[in-house]
Amino acid sequence: MLKLNEVSKRYGTTIGLSDVSVSFPRGEIVGLFGENGAGKSTMMKCILNILHYKGEITLDGEEITRESMEKLSFATCEHSFFPGMTALGHRSFYREHFPKFNEKRFDGLMEFFELPKQREIRRFSAGQKNQFEVILALSQGADYILMDEPFAGNDIFNREDFYKVLLGILEPNETVILSTHLIEEVSDFVSRAVLIRNGRIVGDVTCDELEEQGKSLMDYIKETYHYRADRVGKALSNIIGE
């Protein structure tokens, strides 16, 4: 289990996270939802120890160290690959450095996205780079796969097909934590939704619980965020006038 206990992060006087406590058992696909600047990326980077923070983050009850870091992978739109290396070069590098690297999954996803294996990644399109980032994260052999807005620049058909492939390839012990604004697209694929606002967890519900309540994921998010349906009309009225 991945567990955060009273984790806080500040950027000067700005709150990134404030006393966040949340657990992620194995075998879940978790949607991490929130507005821009809510703290989604900050939470992921704290888990990966990219940022210094206050509080405690543990993996299977132990502090996350260099040795246990291989149980975590990260797909980010900021990218973490080697731009001057080909896909085949990355495959060789990951096979050497990650004992659980899943070469079959890597090759299958490369074929699914129709990515060239012998082209330098810097020569990929923006969408292809994001696809390759996801492939590396899913093939590393990690137990926890963190994805931060991984599908920017990808068309809706590629995204929808990928969600279906994702459900088909994940092992029971693998957990995906997916940060995205594409709520309606992923509502049928996530098993749990964690909502963050102003650096605090404001909602945490499984999709089974929502189904029992007769609510959609979007309904739950709007309700939790106190969404005002009349705000567009008021804005237009103020801008254009009656």
Side-chain angles (χ1 to χ4, degrees):
M1 178 181 289
L2 178 63
K3 187 173 182 179
L4 286 72
N5 184 34
E6 297 184 353
V7 173
S8 296
K9 170 64 182 176
R10 281 183 174 271
Y11 301 97
T13 59
T14 302
I15 295 175
L17 295 176
S18 180
D19 294 325
V20 168
S21 294
V22 63
S23 298
F24 300 103
R26 294 179 187 273
E28 293 186 331
I29 301 179
V30 183
L32 183 61
F33 303 117
E35 302 146 313
N36 289 331
K40 305 183 299 297
S41 297
T42 296
M43 180 189 294
M44 290 189 173
K45 290 178 179 179
C46 286
I47 291 172
L48 294 161
N49 211 21
I50 295 173
L51 298 175
H52 294 293
Y53 58 87
K54 292 183 179 179
E56 182 182 47
I57 301 179
T58 58
L59 181 58
D60 298 332
E62 302 289 339
E63 180 182 350
I64 297 175
T65 63
R66 278 179 169 270
E67 288 70 29
S68 60
M69 188 64 75
E70 67 181 26
K71 295 180 181 179
L72 301 168
S73 65
F74 188 37
T76 167
C77 57
E78 297 173 0
H79 299 148
S80 59
F81 48 69
F82 304 106
M85 190 182 290
T86 65
L88 288 178
H90 280 85
R91 184 176 65 178
S92 298
F93 179 86
Y94 271 63
R95 186 168 51 201
E96 180 179 348
H97 289 86
F98 296 101
K100 295 183 179 180
F101 177 68
N102 191 328
E103 190 167 345
K104 184 177 181 180
R105 182 181 288 186
F106 177 91
D107 290 338
L109 289 172
M110 286 291 295
E111 182 176 346
F112 169 75
F113 283 118
E114 299 179 340
L115 297 181
K117 292 184 178 180
Q118 298 188 25
R119 183 185 302 171
E120 291 181 352
I121 308 305
R122 74 177 71 192
R123 302 187 184 279
F124 281 15
S125 69
Q128 288 176 323
K129 289 176 180 177
N130 292 331
Q131 291 166 355
F132 188 67
E133 181 85 1
V134 169
I135 290 173
L136 290 177
L138 284 169
S139 303
Q140 179 184 308
D143 296 328
Y144 285 86
I145 303 157
L146 282 59
M147 297 186 180
D148 188 13
E149 295 290 352
F151 299 116
N154 281 267
D155 63 73
I156 186 171
F157 302 111
N158 249 328
R159 295 195 303 264
E160 184 175 338
D161 287 345
F162 172 74
Y163 298 137
K164 296 174 183 177
V165 170
L166 180 63
L167 287 177
I169 65 175
L170 287 178
E171 299 291 339
N173 66 322
E174 290 179 296
T175 292
V176 172
I177 303 174
L178 172 63
S179 167
T180 180
H181 293 294
L182 305 173
I183 298 167
E184 293 182 326
E185 282 191 18
V186 303
S187 59
D188 291 333
F189 301 97
V190 298
S191 57
R192 176 183 167 198
V194 174
L195 277 58
I196 186 168
R197 191 176 202 183
N198 297 327
R200 295 176 173 85
I201 301 294
V202 295
D204 189 349
V205 67
T206 67
C207 290
D208 287 341
E209 290 171 337
L210 288 179
E211 187 174 353
E212 290 175 3
Q213 298 170 23
K215 294 180 182 178
S216 70
L217 177 57
M218 184 61 77
D219 289 339
Y220 173 74
I221 291 174
K222 287 182 176 181
E223 178 183 295
T224 303
Y225 282 119
H226 305 294
Y227 173 74
R228 294 180 292 112
D230 63 341
R231 65 194 295 260
V232 174
K234 287 183 177 179
L236 291 176
S237 178
N238 290 334
I239 296 169
I240 301 174
E242 298 182 356

